[in-house]
Amino acid sequence: MQPATAVASPPGLSSADVAARVAAGKVNVTDDTSSRSLWAIIRGNLFTLFNAILGVALVVVLSVGAWKDAVFGFVLLFNTLIGAVTEYRAKRTLDRLAILNEAEVTAIRDGAEHRVPIREVVLDDVLRLSLGDQVPADGEVLTSAGLEVDESMLTGESEPVDKVTGDPVLSGSAVVAGSAVVRATKVGPDAYAQKITAQAKQFSLVGSELRSGINKVLVVISWVIVPIAFLLFWSQIRNVGGWQIAFSGDGWRDAVVQAIAGIVGMVPEGLVLLTSINFALAAVILARRKVLVQELPAVEVLARVDVLCLDKTGTITDGSVELDELVELEGVPGARELLATLAREPGASPTAAAIAPGLQDVPSVAQQEVVPFSSARKWSGHQAESGAWVLGAPEVLLASRGADDAVLARVREVATSGARVLLLAHVSEGELVGESLPDDVRPALLAVLRERVRPDAAQTLEYFAAQDVEVKVISGDNPATVGSIAESVGLEGGAESVDARTLPEDRESLREPIRTSRVFGRVTPEQKRAFVHALQDDGRTVAMTGDGVNDALALKDADLGIAMGNGAAATKAVARVVLLDGRFSTLPGVVAEGRRVIANMERVAALFLTKTTYAVLLAVVVALVAWPYPFLPRHLTLVGALTIGTPAFFLALAPNNQRYRQGFLDRVLQLAVPCGLICGSGVLVVYGTLHLRGEELQASTGATLTLILMALWLLGILARPWNWWRLTLVGVMALGAVLAVAVPFVREFFALEWPTGETAQLIVVVGVIGAALIEVVYRLRERRLARAEAPRPAPGQVGVDASTDRASR
């Protein structure tokens, strides 16, 4: 590699040239939205299986003029609006954030340099690229000063690519070393990145166990709902006297409404609505904490995370460093002067700039960078009058020396105290040849710097340990330094840091060291992605934090990508959660909110799926015996409001610290199915007894009140452990049931009547027996779950009773 020379500055385009290209549409305007479009959001929330089932039922009910029985249509409307509005609000917040943090590039126009937004770059613009810049458009290198670009986001090539005069550069790649002047040859949609990165930017739904479980139920219902609907309609037609009699009057309309009642009862519409509300509320709560949730189900994924991978810099530390000590190793003339010069360079890195206060009285000298610094190489080369020099990581520069080298021993000693160390070494041969690191270098100066540890880092890591979330620190710094800092904030295993350069490259062999170690140093960008894959292969749910463009692929592959608000646009685009203020201490609240959502939804889902179970049982039985369906749609609306929808809303939003447990749907069905069969059987007993006596209105009233009584007992079980507001909630719902039959106009609207003494006695007897059976089912399930979830403690450890953990909810 030839020594880099100062990058010449061509005059670039004139203002008139720029205006002409803007008028011709040759501008770098691209579709860089990081979330779904408004129409895609509406379409995704409107055209769902849930909406299709209820939508058809709503149209049928309205078409026969039974508007009182179309109340369930509001659930359909609210569910769609809540999901769409919340996601759109998140989209707008992120888009505004993207504008506020919009990247700029240096364009040379009219012979002068100007900082312009990337979207204002035009075709043939002359651009100056420096370390850390993202290439805004495809271009051709005019002059290069050791330019190296990272094209991993585009081509998958992990190694930085050298660029010399005449080479092409691709939009979306990042400058990781050197600088250059390039001419834009393709802008906007014609650029390479816009053509091949659609998949990387494409919106994809995050995996949701809640939604997956609900969708499984809906799929089953969708298969059985059509035959049951026809069977119900046929049985109701038979019940009113056959086809001829039914269609000669209004009997067919009653048959349709009763068939729809059976169909609507099978759909757990409130569960879908409540899930959306809970996700939306969590997103709003987190937004107030400066956390942007880009997709609602990501809140649930927060609860499932059991491994959190984070970088040391910006999380445990605040990212700033200060000079602690400057150690002179060998008396090499010109060393202090060159180091002072490098620390004062306008484009010096924060690490190098932190050295400047310790060399205030040292004069600067002329120098030339001949090997630019890169994160992969971890050193840079410089030429001065005093000779050739290298600056970088000591263990890299002195790798040719033995492990017992005195300087390396000193470095290890300093690094174990949590310091970051830079070494300036003189090249004995007098010059650098290419990018190869000379074997014979003389260590001259050792700069010892310390990072500022965040005051809340220890408390944050303590929270994750208490919540069984394993934290792994992944850093590009010296392993000893990373380990020391991790240990200083109480991270278990921090002292046993691993040098990532010693890890195997194949995915299978990587699993064991990643599984057993907690702290890693000298990690390259491509290794971060490999770490995520290795953990996922072990069945772990991985969250990854990041802010740089080199973190984007790892964040996208993680189960939950968490980006910093001041991070690269590409990183925020693929992340599910964005920490707008970039504070690590925000994460415990994020995880806690996710766990509240999924734990509470498991609590109330049994209410909704119990309803689905008894609705299916009733539909099948009345169709086979040709009874009228026990309920009108408005009856089920009343039952749902008092025993499911209203109380579930409060229970779902209550505080809950229950840890995530896999198998949400299985646990819910273990309770919901037997309880639904008990409720349905009780309704059939009461309704059948009164129907066979010809007391139709008493039969519907008795069936409705019996169902409410048993469902309220199930509600009381799921509200445990009881406190004042939960007991009040159940009491108010019971009072509502009494008022529904006691208040004349309410009773008339819901097509009920005051129960006779004999009907009331039947309701109480059947209701109490049903409640007792539900209590037995619940206790048996709890005992079975306690045995299945009992921890198997390691020798010398004491396990925690699973039933105690559940009782704390």
Side-chain angles (χ1 to χ4, degrees), residues 260-285:
I260 291 298
I263 294 170
V264 171
M266 288 186 282
V267 180
E269 72 277 2
L271 181 57
V272 183
L273 172 60
L274 193 57
T275 302
S276 296
I277 292 176
N278 223 343
F279 282 159
L281 179 65
V284 171
I285 291 174

Side-chain angles (χ1 to χ4, degrees), residues 373-398:
F373 177 84
S374 74
S375 57
R377 191 165 39 243
K378 303 194 182 302
W379 61 273
S380 59
H382 306 268
Q383 189 73 42
E385 185 178 349
S386 54
W389 301 82
V390 287
L391 176 67
E395 64 271 26
V396 175
L397 299 181
L398 303 179

